[in-house]
Amino acid sequence: MIRTYLSEEDQRTWDQHVSPAAYALRSAVHKAIGLEPYKAIFGQTMFQHESIYELLRKLDALKEGDLEVVSRNERMELIREKLICGLEGACKNGQRSYNTRARAVSFLVGQLVYRKNFKLSNAAEGFNAKLAPKYLRSVVRGVKGNSLYELEDSSGRPVGVYHTKDLRV
């Protein structure tokens, strides 16, 4: 967010944009909970500057604690209930989205697989990672857990333990 306010030539003023960016994040309505994060924590709307608070106080637009119909504890309990419902709904939506894309994969010992190539570019060796193959041929040597497999290269040398997400058939 701060990057959008900075000029490409001079980035030394980044700290002047922290307060407005923090205000924007704290006062924006969160999709999952239907509230601003500040209101969810403190039970009231956030004021960007003290002068706004003072102006509302002079106009008697702010309710005093003893004059409120609903106590602060009751108001916070209502907010908590709304948060719980919103977060449970967001969790269910996330699960549904994840489960439609997730795939259960298992490999057998001795099976041919392709592992992701994590080698970085090295000018001294004359190696450019962008030009290298994305996946390298390997054989499953052993199973280390639900999603971890010990691999070896085609000559039988161990190459390490890899997660299922980094393997292809």
Side-chain angles (χ1 to χ4, degrees):
M1 185 181 284
I2 292 172
R3 187 181 319 141
T4 60
Y5 291 104
L6 297 177
S7 67
E8 291 182 23
E9 299 83 33
D10 187 16
Q11 297 179 345
R12 292 177 290 180
T13 62
W14 68 269
D15 57 332
Q16 296 172 4
H17 303 288
V18 171
S19 183
Y23 175 76
L25 291 172
R26 293 174 187 148
S27 62
V29 175
H30 193 279
K31 181 180 176 183
I33 60 177
L35 288 172
E36 306 92 1
Y38 186 89
K39 189 170 189 172
I41 293 171
F42 298 108
Q44 66 184 28
T45 304
M46 182 178 179
F47 300 117
Q48 186 174 11
H49 195 268
E50 178 187 4
S51 61
I52 297 171
Y53 182 80
E54 290 299 323
L55 177 65
L56 291 173
R57 172 109 27 226
K58 288 178 184 175
L59 296 172
D60 288 331
L62 295 175
K63 295 181 181 177
E64 294 295 332
D66 52 303
L67 299 176
E68 291 182 13
V69 176
V70 179
S71 71
R72 178 164 166 52
N73 289 340
E74 291 171 338
R75 189 172 64 241
M76 291 304 291
E77 187 60 36
L78 292 171
I79 289 173
R80 275 189 219 100
E81 289 173 12
K82 186 174 182 177
L83 287 173
I84 290 169
C85 291
L87 291 174
E88 285 174 351
C91 183
K92 287 178 184 174
N93 288 341
Q95 282 178 338
R96 188 175 25 238
S97 174
Y98 175 80
N99 290 338
T100 58
R101 293 187 317 265
R103 57 184 170 91
V105 178
S106 62
F107 301 106
L108 303 172
V109 175
Q111 183 177 355
L112 175 68
V113 295
Y114 291 89
R115 64 181 165 91
K116 197 170 197 176
N117 189 0
F118 288 107
K119 187 171 180 183
L120 300 176
S121 296
N122 188 336
E125 295 176 10
F127 178 77
N128 187 334
K130 286 192 177 232
L131 302 175
K134 288 187 178 188
Y135 289 91
L136 301 172
R137 190 177 190 159
S138 300
V139 177
V140 177
R141 184 179 216 186
V143 180
K144 293 291 185 181
N146 292 339
S147 301
L148 297 174
Y149 296 91
E150 185 177 5
L151 303 179
E152 60 186 31
D153 61 10
S154 56
S155 63
R157 290 181 304 204
V159 292
V161 178
Y162 285 78
H163 192 274
T164 305
K165 70 178 177 57
D166 299 321
L167 301 176
R168 302 285 184 259
V169 180

